[in-house]
């Protein structure tokens, strides 16, 4: 799975990085940064899927969604 970040909607409060620190860090303004260098679509390991679903559900701007990884992961 990949976690898509809609940067036009995100307002950078950093909640997602708190809920999913293994996948997301924060820049100096609180906007999420993919730790794997995956830009707007960092990969989510299967073991963290539940945490990613929680981050999607709790994003106050509905700026996150889970996508199937084209590579099938
Ligand atoms: S929780 Fe949503 S609005 Fe907040 S930083 Fe993450 S993507 Fe942006």
């Amino acid at each position: 799975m990949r976690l898509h970040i809609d940067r036009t909607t995100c307002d950078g409060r950093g909640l997602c990085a708190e809920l999913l620190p293994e996948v997301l860090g924060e820049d100096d303004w609180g906007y999420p940064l993919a730790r794997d260098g995956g830009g707007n679509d960092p990969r989510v390991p299967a073991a963290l899927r539940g945490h990613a679903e929680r981050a999607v559900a709790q994003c106050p701007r509905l700026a996150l969604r889970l996508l199937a990884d084209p590579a099938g992961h």
Side-chain angles (χ1 to χ4, degrees), residues 5 9-17 30-32 55 58-61 63-64:
I5 305 162
T9 304
C10 170
D11 69 356
R13 297 198 192 170
L15 177 62
C16 53
Y31 288 89
Q58 295 195 12
C59 171
R61 301 282 298 170
L64 299 173

